């Protein structure tokens, strides 16, 4: 193909990234190789810096330059509320929103019979232990928000986690369903519209 | 966003790759960081190996582990035919086809008034010099195939290059237009269908 096993091996690794297939991986690699000084070498050092500095937070599962991460160690964060997310990407998305002032717990995936993901594969037992511990802390944990996707697997996971936390004396809540900001009604599915209508609120 | 300038800088660099935007770059980086041992570190060494070994062939513009590249130095390649392509990716695509036995010349792009690509930005003058030289070699160059895209800019480039090579005494040819293999007629544009019909051939 390119007569270079090094190049082919790089294309194969690139193709494993989400969003890239074999064809786009080849284009990406080609662009990197063509711009060695301005793209390939900076990319290598950026990756190397990330590999040197990033670690998984033992408390919440976030990925950060420090362990425990800057959210877990931030005293301005509200210790009374905990937001449970499927993945670090979801945590980052909520942080971009900038309105959640509590802490997080990353499950590391969602329950899936199809993909063989069982409760013991997720960070559910550590979550239960954490909630038990945080209940006796000062200030004590009061509410756990299950911020998982509105998919079948996400909701299965939410139900399972809610069951595990049911008797621990914390308020359990979930994200509101409704029309996304900027969403056109006629592009929305009927399920979302029905939920948005049921949860309608008075205009202030 | 992620509280790490290292991570943000890596996401920005990833987002410049063709086929990745800011969102998919973030997902790709996240996957790399989560699988440090099995994905991030192998990716770094694969990139490093490519950076160490790959070079641009001075004769044809191909990217290879050697300069001149393995195609230019292969004595089994037919020196009487030369295939002019826009980009290294096109060269690789033709090589994957496996039927071209001549050599290549990579222009490094196509003429474009919109993007400000002028003839002197492409490897056209080196091509003319190469053709003049190859005409007196043994065996002499006989045919130049202009294998550029069937786009407006590709065809403009082909015309310009053909003009430059017109008086050098070599046969100039171009790729056939027609129905792509596996192509359904009703998904094809009228232009292709018309060209395919005009260039119809008797069944053997």
């Amino acid at each position: 193909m390119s007569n270079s096993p090094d190049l082919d091996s790089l294309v194969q690794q690139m193709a494993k990234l989400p969003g890239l297939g074999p064809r786009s991986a080849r284009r990406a690699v080609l662009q990197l190789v063509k711009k060695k000084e301005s793209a390939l070498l900076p990319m290598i050092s950026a990756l190397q810096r990330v590999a040197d500095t990033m670690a998984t937070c033992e408390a919440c599962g976030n990925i950060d330059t420090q362990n425990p991460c800057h959210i877990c160690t931030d005293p301005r964060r509200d210790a009374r509320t905990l937001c449970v997310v499927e993945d670090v990407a979801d945590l980052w998305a909520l942080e971009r929103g900038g309105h959640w002032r509590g802490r997080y717990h990353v499950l590391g995936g969602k329950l899936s019979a199809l993909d063989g993901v069982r409760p013991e594969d997720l960070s559910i037992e550590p979550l239960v232990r954490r909630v038990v511990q945080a209940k006796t802390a000062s200030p004590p944990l009061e509410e756990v928000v299950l911020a998982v996707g509105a998919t079948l697997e996400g909701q299965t996971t939410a139900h399972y986690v809610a069951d595990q936390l049911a008797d621990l004396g914390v308020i359990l809540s979930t994200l509101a369903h409704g029309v996304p900001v900027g969403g056109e009604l006629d592009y929305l599915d009927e399920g979302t519209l029905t939920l948005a209508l049921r949860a309608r609120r008075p205009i202030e």
Side-chain angles (χ1 to χ4, degrees), chain A:
Chain A
M1 183 174 318
S2 62
N3 206 48
S4 158
D6 289 344
L7 216 51
D8 291 344
S9 131
L10 179 58
V11 169
Q12 271 168 31
Q13 288 199 45
M14 279 279 186
K16 282 187 211 154
L17 293 179
L20 285 176
R23 198 171 282 262
S24 46
R26 200 153 48 220
R27 283 177 60 214
V29 166
L30 198 56
Q31 170 159 325
L32 285 175
V33 174
K34 281 198 285 190
K35 299 181 183 169
K36 186 173 167 180
E37 300 300 327
S38 66
L40 180 52
L41 298 183
M43 177 75 82
I44 292 174
S45 46
L47 282 165
Q48 189 64 58
R49 271 198 309 278
V50 164
D52 292 342
T53 57
M54 303 310 281
T56 300
C57 173
E58 276 170 27
C60 74
N62 187 14
I63 286 169
D64 198 15
T65 44
Q66 55 186 74
N67 174 17
C69 75
H70 74 281
I71 298 177
C72 286
T73 52
D74 187 345
R76 289 164 304 175
R77 287 286 181 153
D78 185 2
R80 291 170 301 178
T81 51
L82 187 68
C83 183
V84 176
V85 294
E86 288 169 14
D87 201 275
V88 179
D90 303 330
L91 189 162
W92 290 359
L94 285 164
E95 282 297 288
R96 279 198 300 280
H99 275 81
W100 178 250
R101 302 309 306 157
R103 298 211 167 119
Y104 293 96
H105 189 89
V106 179
L107 293 175
K110 47 196 166 190
L111 296 177
S112 165
L114 224 59
D115 300 333
V117 181
R118 295 156 307 169
E120 52 265 41
D121 298 323
L122 303 182
S123 176
I124 295 177
E125 211 201 293
L127 170 64
V128 174
R129 266 186 277 130
R130 190 173 168 191
V131 169
V132 169
Q133 217 163 37
K135 274 282 294 171
T136 62
S138 162
L141 179 66
E142 292 168 8
E143 182 181 0
V144 175
V145 183
L146 300 174
V148 293
T151 59
L152 182 64
E153 292 172 342
Q155 292 307 305
T156 309
T157 312
H159 278 129
Y160 184 87
V161 172
D163 270 356
Q164 305 296 306
L165 302 177
D167 303 327
L168 300 180
V170 291
I171 301 167
L172 295 177
S173 58
T174 182
L175 296 180
H177 292 295
V179 183
V181 175
E184 303 260 23
L185 289 201
D186 58 347
Y187 284 103
L188 274 178
D189 63 298
E190 296 79 14
T192 305
L193 277 179
T194 306
L195 289 169
L197 206 55
R198 266 196 223 150
R200 67 187 179 279
R201 359 165 257 155
I203 296 170
E204 282 146 13

